[in-house]
């Protein structure tokens, strides 16, 4: 059972934090080796190296822990150490790098050059891993991280199996594999990926990462709902009018034009991050906080989301693409002028959707989703709008002055939870205004939250798959989205709308809610 939420230890040398007294949970995994396939790419420097460094800094990894980078680029151990050091130096949340911690980490970093389709490279890796087990005491425990495009997974896992690295036969230690998104581009490709992975690994060995699930606020959703007596009784259609999930980014597609132009916002953000947020938000309480119970409940939510007909796609979806504008005071080019993007691209950089859940708890409660690049503000938030009071006891003042109660769960930035309700304006007469009750992680706990990758890597090393997507969840997410993608590409799902970079998306997204007598929350 996973103790929710994960709380990292105090950073050595910083002194105890009185606000976190009694909160420390020790979670030290078995000694193991992490093999990063595609180790010279962006993800390793930006996310994985800083996450490992911070785990070591927090005292969460055993001294035997070892990293082996594998990629085609010829490089020796020392050059790979430098690559990781640079990544930590640039992207770690704790800087400057502590020499003592880094020296310990560097002693356990090696590099294995080789092509992923070359059996000799895998044989060399297998020999190296045996030597590491012997010399560093890693006990045959292996975590493979596939930091490569998913089209390469089938070949990689086949080669791993051929080299005896799938952990299925020798019985010593554990073998787990983390795979990155995007998990396919539609249902068919996701099924093919699942089949290829399951030819070599058991489902329990496969960890499909969705870094949103590692965010502190997303984990806190379960605690908020099921660790308190107050909220769960009103978490249903009787009290909730509608739910809005916003994932807005100010960045454009930057250096990822080629990937993004073949992907779009629906596949990049909704298929995984948004549907996972929705599932965590809407699920029934699991019997236990075990990975399978939790994921069974999330799957039930996804099964309750009604796939749309083409007519519903035209009515309940809006897709947009940014044209030039100003984002946070900087001039932003149009999407079609971004590097590696087709000048006639029809790819959506913004999506707004209305989803319906056909479940006893949620029937009739619309879930509005919006996500986009090059938007006015960076914010990820789930906003719950409650029903209005049944009676206007305070006359017009009670109606005009007060918006319905809103509970906003801010995933990032300024992580926290805000409750908005009406209060009497001091003075004579009866004026009512909306006020906020505000909880912020920063001021309540006075500590930095760990990066999602820290949490998720540690969970995987501990064998806890709660915060990883199961194969059936990934497939169901595509079943929900495939009809939308099909209608859009058949020209039946409404036009592509344009919005200025730095705005809140196309006016059609506002109209989607206005038709229902609602509006987007201003964040
Ligand atoms: C990734 C997407 O999964 O999530 C990116 O591929 C996006 O396009 C990123 O920018 C957003 O993550 P975060 O943690 O910055 O909200």
């Amino acid at each position: 059972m996973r103790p929710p939420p994960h709380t990292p230890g105090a950073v050595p040398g910083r002194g105890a934090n009185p606000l976190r007294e009694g909160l420390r949970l020790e979670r030290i995994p078995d000694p193991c080796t992490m093999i990063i396939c595609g180790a010279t790419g962006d993800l390793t420097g930006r996310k994985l190296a800083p996450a490992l460094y911070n785990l070591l800094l927090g005292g969460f990894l055993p001294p035997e822990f070892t990293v082996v980078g594998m990629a085609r680029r010829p490089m020796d151990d020392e050059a790979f150490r430098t690559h990781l050091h640079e990544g930590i130096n640039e992207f770690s949340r704790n800087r400057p790098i502590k020499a003592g911690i880094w020296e310990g980490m560097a002693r356990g970093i090696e590099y294995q050059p080789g092509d992923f389709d070359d059996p000799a490279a895998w044989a060399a890796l297998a020999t190296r891993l045996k030597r590491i087990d012997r010399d560093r005491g890693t006990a045959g425990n292996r975590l493979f991280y596939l930091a490569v495009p998913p089209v390469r997974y089938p070949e990689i896992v086949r080669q791993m199996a051929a080299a005896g690295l799938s952990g299925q036969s020798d019985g010593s230690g554990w073998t787990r594999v983390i795979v990155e998104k995007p998990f396919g581009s539609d249902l068919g490709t996701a099924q093919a990926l699942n089949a290829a992975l399951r030819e070599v690994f058991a489902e329990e060995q496969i960890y499909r990462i969705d870094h949103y699930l590692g965010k502190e606020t997303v984990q806190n959703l379960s605690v908020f709902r099921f660790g308190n007596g107050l909220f769960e009784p009103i978490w249903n259609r009787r009290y909730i009018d509608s739910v809005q999930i916003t994932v807005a980014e100010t960045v454009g597609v930057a250096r990822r034009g080629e990937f993004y132009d073949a992907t779009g916002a629906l596949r990049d953000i909704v298929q995984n991050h948004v549907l996972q947020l929705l599932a965590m938000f809407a699920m029934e309480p699991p019997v236990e906080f075990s990975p399978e119970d939790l994921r069974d409940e999330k799957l039930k939510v996804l099964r309750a989301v009604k796939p749309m007909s083409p007519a519903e796609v035209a009515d309940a979806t809006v897709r947009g693409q940014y044209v030039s504008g100003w984002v946070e005071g900087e001039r932003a080019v149009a999407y079609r002028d971004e590097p590696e993007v087709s000048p006639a691209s029809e790819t959506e950089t913004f999506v707004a959707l209305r989803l319906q859940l056909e479940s006893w708890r949620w029937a009739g409660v619309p879930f509005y989703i919006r996500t986009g690049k090059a938007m006015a503000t960076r914010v990820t938030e789930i906003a719950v709008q409650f029903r209005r009071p049944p009676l206007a006891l305070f006359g017009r003042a009670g109606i005009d002055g007060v918006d319905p109660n809103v509970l906003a769960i801010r995933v990032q930035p300024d992580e926290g939870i805000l409750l908005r309700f009406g209060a009497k304006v001091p003075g004579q007469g009866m004026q009512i205004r909306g006020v906020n009750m505000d909880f912020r992680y920063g001021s309540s706990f006075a500590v930095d939250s760990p990066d999602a990758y820290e949490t998720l890597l540690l969970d995987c090393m501990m064998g806890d798959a709660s915060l990883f997507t199961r194969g059936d969840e990934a497939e169901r997410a595509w079943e929900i989205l495939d009809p939308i993608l099909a209608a859009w590409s058949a020209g039946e799902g409404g036009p592509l709308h344009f919005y200025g970079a730095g705005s809140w998306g196309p006016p059609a997204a506002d109209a989607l809610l206005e038709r229902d007598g609602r509006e987007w929350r201003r964040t």
Side-chain angles (χ1 to χ4, degrees):
M1 175 171 145
R2 172 168 221 285
H6 160 52
T7 52
V11 173
R14 278 213 181 155
N17 175 348
L19 293 176
R20 295 178 51 79
E21 227 163 83
L23 289 183
R24 182 167 179 157
L25 293 175
E26 294 294 352
R27 303 194 337 139
I28 307 278
D30 302 330
C32 66
T33 305
M34 174 168 161
I35 304 99
I36 306 174
C37 300
T40 51
D42 219 32
L43 184 76
T44 306
R46 210 171 253 280
K47 291 292 180 186
L48 303 182
L52 294 173
Y53 169 77
N54 282 305
L55 286 173
L56 279 160
L57 184 66
F60 291 107
L61 296 184
E64 298 88 345
F65 177 74
T66 305
V67 183
V68 177
M70 185 175 179
R72 187 155 40 156
R73 195 188 306 170
M75 201 191 271
D76 61 11
D77 292 348
E78 205 42 52
F80 184 55
R81 284 182 197 126
T82 305
H83 175 62
L84 297 195
H85 190 271
E86 283 168 2
I88 300 165
N89 209 13
E90 190 170 353
F91 298 110
S92 168
R93 66 189 171 88
N94 287 304
R95 280 175 293 171
I97 297 180
K98 287 208 160 122
I101 302 289
W102 167 251
E103 279 154 24
M105 181 172 175
R107 276 194 292 278
I109 296 176
E110 300 191 10
Y111 186 73
Q112 172 66 55
D115 271 341
F116 294 127
D117 50 12
D118 176 9
W122 290 98
L125 178 70
T127 308
R128 182 186 290 266
L129 292 177
K130 281 207 184 91
R131 195 249 306 140
I132 291 173
D133 284 341
R134 204 178 48 239
D135 294 355
R136 291 187 55 85
T138 40
N141 296 323
R142 286 149 197 185
L143 162 54
F144 287 87
Y145 198 115
L146 306 193
V148 295
V151 288
R152 311 216 57 183
Y153 296 168
E155 173 66 11
I156 289 181
V157 299
R158 252 196 314 275
Q159 293 284 356
M160 283 169 70
L165 290 172
S166 65
Q168 297 286 27
S169 48
D170 65 1
S172 65
W174 49 256
T175 298
R176 299 178 190 135
V177 57
I178 298 186
V179 294
E180 267 287 339
K181 63 177 277 273
F183 199 77
S185 54
D186 57 16
L187 178 60
T189 48
Q191 284 170 331
L193 271 183
N194 272 336
L197 291 170
R198 287 178 190 142
E199 255 175 46
V200 174
F201 297 108
E203 177 66 30
E204 300 73 57
Q205 294 178 280
I206 305 169
Y207 287 67
R208 294 171 197 78
I209 199 164
D210 181 324
H211 76 283
Y212 265 59
L213 291 179
K215 292 184 191 272
E216 204 68 31
T217 353
V218 178
Q219 296 176 67
N220 190 46
L221 252 177
S222 317
V223 177
F224 184 72
R225 290 187 57 197
F226 307 130
N228 294 293
L230 184 57
F231 304 105
E232 197 46 29
I234 56 168
W235 215 250
N236 57 52
R237 62 194 302 277
R238 196 152 167 221
Y239 298 96
I240 293 181
D241 168 84
S242 56
V243 179
Q244 296 184 10
I245 302 181
T246 300
V247 179
E249 297 182 88
T250 47
V251 290
V253 293
R255 293 175 300 147
R256 300 165 73 223
E258 188 185 351
F259 159 79
Y260 196 87
D261 211 31
T263 306
L266 198 73
R267 291 186 172 100
D268 187 40
I269 300 284
V270 179
Q271 193 271 344
N272 34 75
H273 307 328
V274 169
L275 288 180
Q276 287 294 324
L277 287 181
L278 181 131
M280 294 285 285
F281 173 90
M283 71 182 184
E284 297 299 318
V287 175
E288 262 184 29
F289 244 91
S290 70
E292 293 323 314
D293 281 6
L294 195 70
R295 297 186 301 176
D296 284 347
E297 295 304 337
K298 284 197 293 158
L299 179 64
K300 278 191 218 161
V301 174
L302 298 176
R303 287 182 53 206
V305 177
K306 196 171 158 254
M308 296 181 199
S309 67
E312 285 167 331
V313 174
D315 177 55
T317 74
V318 172
R319 60 193 169 119
Q321 190 188 79
Y322 61 85
V323 295
S324 62
W326 293 87
V327 182
E328 295 176 323
E330 301 272 333
R331 185 90 190 133
V333 299
Y335 175 69
R336 289 178 179 177
D337 295 331
E338 296 275 17
E340 295 173 4
V341 168
S342 154
S345 174
E346 291 278 304
T347 300
E348 80 286 356
T349 60
F350 172 94
V351 185
L353 304 173
R354 179 182 57 231
L355 297 178
Q356 301 283 358
L357 269 66
E358 294 194 331
S359 69
W360 197 260
R361 187 190 281 258
W362 294 115
V365 178
F367 282 73
Y368 299 104
I369 312 285
R370 65 178 161 168
T371 180
K373 298 268 186 206
M375 298 198 43
T377 311
R378 174 174 180 255
V379 61
T380 297
E381 181 187 270
I382 306 177
V384 186
Q385 181 169 320
F386 290 90
R387 291 188 185 282
R388 287 185 181 277
L391 204 64
L393 259 194
F394 302 106
R396 291 231 58 85
I399 295 182
D400 297 340
V402 192
D403 297 330
N405 297 131
V406 171
L407 181 84
I409 300 162
R410 274 191 310 244
V411 175
Q412 64 186 22
D414 301 329
E415 291 82 353
I417 296 175
L418 173 147
L419 180 65
R420 189 160 176 79
F421 56 91
K424 179 181 176 302
V425 179
Q428 303 307 329
M430 182 56 80
Q431 290 255 1
I432 300 180
R433 285 279 155 72
V435 293
N436 292 338
M437 220 155 77
D438 211 349
F439 150 72
R440 282 167 196 259
Y441 273 82
S443 44
S444 297
F445 293 105
V447 76
D448 251 8
S449 291
D451 183 79
Y453 278 86
E454 294 169 39
T455 303
L456 295 172
L457 286 177
L458 189 59
D459 277 3
C460 179
M461 290 177 208
M462 305 282 293
D464 185 343
S466 306
L467 298 177
F468 291 82
T469 312
R470 213 167 49 190
D472 48 8
E473 289 179 84
E475 290 183 15
R476 177 61 193 170
W478 285 119
E479 282 172 6
I480 297 167
L481 299 187
D482 275 2
I484 301 178
L485 291 164
W488 284 351
S489 67
E492 292 170 342
L496 177 67
H497 299 268
F498 294 93
Y499 63 100
S503 73
W504 274 105
D510 298 324
L512 173 71
L513 266 71
E514 279 157 20
R515 286 200 295 278
D516 295 352
R518 299 189 177 89
E519 58 184 34
W520 292 106
R521 187 177 122 78
R522 280 188 292 278
T523 55

